[in-house]
Amino acid sequence: MSELKVLVVEDEPTLARLLSYNLTLEGYETTVVDHGSQGLQTALHRKFDLIILDIMLPGMNGFEVLSKLRQAGIRTPVIILTARNAEEEVVQGLKCGADDYITKPFGVAELLARVGAVLRRTSADGGDLSIEGDSDEKVIAVGDLRIYPEKYEVTLLHEQIPLRPKEFEVLLYLVQRPGTVITRDDLMNAVWGFDYIGGQRTVDVHVSSLRKKLEMNQQSVQIDSIRGVGYKLVVQKKQLK
């Protein structure tokens, strides 16, 4: 099995060396760059399994790098490095599409644990989504779920579950972005439209109802709440062939 490739975008030399040394020692193939724009171009033109991205960078900050990567369709998992007690950085990073964060200073054990956890989680998320059938009846398969977009139907463990139209649209939007943190605003705009005058409470109510229906008698798919940000669909393991 080939080594997993990690891109480190960090301009502080001592920290960059620490990250590179410990990741390499753990068996990862590590690339280090010290400039935001260079980090963006490297991530756009080379394939990595994980990106560790500092927020404060010369040329282009980490938020800009992350936003441009997600806009370009790059779904490589990203762990952001933030200052201690910088909650606003964490929230903004998650809204931009980060998968996790580490606050400075941090220990080697925490770093490696978070890297391993993100890689395991995103590997499972990406591996359980597939599209079956032909153009007459497309089926999206994820975990124990089978989703029929043309018919607004969902089956769970081979049994149909009743969803209201907006619940179905919320599920479809999340399923098409497994492992990605989706903000309430994103869900509101995608499902209800930009001109909807209701509040975000509408999103929370629909997600809560949808979660209860999905979590009955199955553990492979769940909707996680990301405090202060939104929601994320998590696929635990593949259950059906």
Side-chain angles (χ1 to χ4, degrees):
M1 181 178 178
S2 59
E3 293 180 337
L4 294 175
K5 297 178 175 60
V6 178
L7 172 63
V8 175
V9 189
E10 169 59 62
D11 67 318
E12 204 287 302
T14 301
L15 180 55
R17 285 195 297 270
L18 174 70
L19 290 165
S20 179
Y21 174 79
N22 285 284
L23 289 167
T24 301
L25 201 64
E26 194 69 11
Y28 299 106
E29 181 181 323
T30 308
T31 300
V32 178
V33 298
D34 60 2
H35 192 279
S37 298
Q38 182 186 2
L40 174 62
Q41 292 304 313
T42 302
L44 287 173
H45 294 98
R46 293 173 55 185
K47 181 176 176 55
F48 292 93
D49 298 287
L50 176 70
I51 299 171
I52 298 177
L53 178 64
D54 192 19
I55 296 301
M56 302 303 295
L57 293 166
M60 180 182 296
N61 67 44
F63 298 131
E64 294 175 286
V65 173
L66 181 53
S67 294
K68 290 181 182 297
L69 287 176
R70 296 306 187 228
Q71 290 168 10
I74 304 298
R75 288 185 52 194
T76 305
V78 173
I79 297 176
I80 57 172
L81 303 179
T82 73
R84 185 174 296 279
N85 299 323
E87 182 178 354
E88 68 281 357
E89 287 188 352
V90 173
V91 172
Q92 185 175 349
L94 291 173
K95 286 183 176 180
C96 288
D99 296 86
D100 202 352
Y101 64 92
I102 302 177
T103 56
K104 303 177 185 177
F106 52 83
V108 173
E110 179 188 2
L111 165 71
L112 296 177
R114 287 188 178 271
V115 166
V118 168
L119 286 170
R120 286 192 300 272
R121 185 171 70 241
T122 55
S123 175
D125 290 338
D128 276 352
L129 177 64
S130 64
I131 298 177
E132 304 172 348
D134 53 29
S135 58
D136 294 330
E137 186 179 44
K138 183 172 73 171
V139 182
I140 299 175
V142 54
D144 293 327
L145 298 176
R146 295 296 181 268
I147 302 165
Y148 301 83
E150 306 296 331
K151 300 189 295 184
Y152 268 56
E153 292 181 0
V154 177
T155 62
L156 173 59
L157 293 167
H158 305 295
E159 294 185 8
Q160 188 169 336
I161 57 173
L163 295 182
R164 291 177 290 174
K166 291 303 183 186
E167 289 175 347
F168 180 90
E169 292 174 22
V170 168
L171 174 62
L172 185 61
Y173 192 80
L174 292 172
V175 159
Q176 292 171 333
R177 298 157 181 82
T180 300
V181 178
I182 306 297
T183 68
R184 289 178 174 83
D185 284 341
D186 286 341
L187 273 175
M188 178 77 73
N189 294 334
V191 176
W192 282 268
F194 289 93
D195 56 351
Y196 180 70
I197 61 174
Q200 291 184 345
R201 177 62 179 164
T202 299
V203 176
D204 295 336
V205 169
H206 279 75
V207 170
S208 177
S209 175
L210 175 60
R211 179 187 280 136
K212 290 176 182 177
K213 294 176 182 179
L214 294 183
E215 292 181 351
M216 293 176 62
N217 301 319
Q218 68 93 32
Q219 295 82 38
S220 68
V221 180
Q222 65 186 50
I223 300 175
D224 284 355
S225 297
I226 309 301
R227 185 176 179 181
V229 183
Y231 299 98
K232 176 173 66 173
L233 187 91
V234 177
V235 184
Q236 300 289 1
K237 56 186 177 179
K238 195 166 186 177
Q239 301 253 344
L240 297 179
K241 300 293 183 181

